[in-house]
Amino acid sequence: MNHYSCLISKLEKLLDKEDILLNESMKNHTYFKVGGKADILITPKTTEELIASIKICDDEKTLYYIIGNGSNLLVKDGGFRGVIIKLSKLDKITVDEDKIIALGGAKLKDMSGCALKHNLTGFEFACGIPGSVGGAVTMNAGAYDGEMVNVVTEAVVMDKDCNIITLKNEDLELGYRTSAVMKYNYIVLSVTIKLKKADPLKIKARIDELTYRREDKQPLEYPSAGSTFKRPEGHFAGKLIEDSGLKGTVLGGAAVSEKHSGFIINKKDATAKDILDLIELVQKTVSKNFNVDLHPEVRIIGED
């Protein structure tokens, strides 16, 4: 850690002690529950702390990577050399009539609960998505016929030079698992969504229905990053994998879920390598059988 001494000293003047973790296992910060250690992991509590932290990393020429809730992230077993900046404490949510404004680290589940509390409909689809709103905008997350593109009115983002920009819905270029945020490596600071007033009993019934469907169809009892692969045009990844005879396939501690073939799960003490090797096996098998390329939806970072 000697070569980080100046960086750490600057961070200690900026952040509270508990917001700076050294040699931190990324198993503690990803839904896959795998991954090596990050040299440094910080959790800024304000947008000002976030911006100042990034400037410190830039000044010290230290690599950094922004994460939200770690729900769509796979960190390799060798860990991450540099600083992981986790936005989970930037989670304030406010309501202004039919609009909800949330900081980038706010959980979608909390936003969905907030919408219910204020009799607002249109965000029920996100009730079971485990990620943060920043990550959801980055990926244009969606489920059960709902997508972020349908509700987001604007997002405040920051570019690599720490310029703050407000992007309207059309400027965000929200498409299937893509956005201008991803394209230009923006950091999502806050998101505004617009909903509609409705009967809270109907909103709750819809949330209960989607929760049941999710629990019935998805392997929520195991660590995973949700759907492992993007949906290939004209196909469903899970069906291609199942039709390839791969349902239940085990490699090390990783497995193709028997409940939903589109999920690769950490079945028993998997390593990141187990998961990556199984992803590769699935890709090669599906390509051979159906001449369809599967691309991971999960983000992969770190060293082997």
Side-chain angles (χ1 to χ4, degrees):
M1 282 290 167
N2 287 341
H3 59 292
Y4 289 125
S5 57
C6 188
L7 173 79
I8 294 170
S9 177
K10 290 181 178 180
L11 289 173
E12 286 176 341
K13 293 175 183 176
L14 173 69
L15 306 173
D16 291 334
K17 186 176 180 180
E18 68 268 18
D19 296 328
I20 305 170
L21 301 174
L22 306 181
N23 289 319
E24 177 66 10
S25 174
M26 291 306 294
K27 291 181 182 180
N28 302 326
H29 301 278
T30 64
Y31 272 55
F32 257 132
K33 302 299 181 189
V34 302
K37 294 179 179 179
D39 289 343
I40 302 169
L41 184 143
I42 63 173
T43 48
K45 291 190 179 82
T46 66
T47 300
E48 291 74 23
E49 287 184 353
L50 169 63
I51 294 170
S53 296
I54 289 171
K55 288 181 176 178
I56 288 171
C57 291
D58 286 341
D59 289 345
E60 294 299 316
K61 296 181 172 51
T62 301
L63 181 67
Y64 66 87
Y65 190 84
I66 306 287
I67 70 170
N69 211 26
S71 62
N72 197 43
L73 181 68
L74 178 60
V75 182
K76 294 182 181 181
D77 297 313
F80 184 81
R81 304 288 74 78
V83 180
I84 295 288
I85 303 177
K86 187 175 182 180
L87 304 185
S88 57
K89 293 180 181 177
L90 290 164
D91 60 354
K92 183 180 179 183
I93 300 171
T94 56
V95 179
D96 180 11
E97 296 184 351
D98 60 352
K99 293 180 181 179
I100 298 179
I101 304 99
L103 295 185
K107 294 179 181 178
L108 293 174
K109 183 177 181 180
D110 292 342
M111 290 181 68
S112 178
C114 183
L116 171 61
K117 181 179 178 181
H118 289 83
N119 305 335
L120 294 171
T121 188
F123 207 62
E124 293 90 331
F125 74 89
C127 66
I129 300 176
S132 65
V133 68
V137 170
T138 302
M139 297 288 290
N140 187 29
Y144 301 113
D145 300 321
E147 285 184 309
M148 294 302 292
V149 66
N150 300 327
V151 295
V152 172
T153 60
E154 66 178 39
V156 179
V157 303
M158 185 168 65
D159 67 15
K160 60 183 178 61
D161 297 317
C162 293
N163 297 308
I164 296 176
I165 309 163
T166 299
L167 298 175
K168 299 296 185 183
N169 181 291
E170 57 271 22
D171 302 320
L172 285 164
E173 301 176 30
L174 295 164
Y176 178 66
R177 301 301 176 261
T178 188
S179 68
V181 177
M182 184 182 297
K183 185 176 178 181
Y184 300 112
N185 289 315
Y186 292 146
I187 298 167
V188 178
L189 301 180
S190 70
V191 177
T192 300
I193 63 172
K194 184 176 173 62
L195 305 174
K196 294 180 180 178
K197 287 286 185 179
D199 182 347
L201 293 178
K202 290 183 179 179
I203 300 171
K204 181 65 164 61
R206 177 61 173 163
I207 288 174
D208 290 345
E209 175 198 355
L210 295 183
T211 299
Y212 172 79
R213 288 169 64 182
R214 189 178 297 274
E215 290 175 348
D216 185 53
K217 300 292 185 184
Q218 297 181 8
L220 303 181
E221 64 272 27
Y222 292 104
S224 80
S227 297
T228 307
F229 301 98
K230 296 178 183 178
R231 185 177 66 241
E233 190 172 348
H235 300 276
F236 291 99
K239 188 174 190 309
L240 291 171
I241 295 166
E242 184 171 350
D243 290 348
S244 293
L246 292 170
K247 177 181 268 194
T249 297
V250 175
L251 202 164
V256 176
S257 169
E258 295 182 3
K259 200 170 186 180
H260 190 314
S261 296
F263 285 62
I264 288 179
I265 59 173
N266 178 352
K267 191 168 186 179
K268 187 177 181 182
D269 300 325
T271 63
K273 187 176 187 303
D274 291 340
I275 294 167
L276 289 167
D277 287 348
L278 188 53
I279 287 174
E280 184 179 359
L281 173 65
V282 168
Q283 288 174 314
K284 287 182 176 178
T285 306
V286 168
S287 179
K288 179 181 177 182
N289 290 342
F290 298 103
N291 197 31
V292 175
D293 293 329
L294 293 181
H295 299 284
E297 186 172 307
V298 61
R299 290 190 160 196
I300 301 164
I301 66 168
E303 299 183 348
D304 294 325

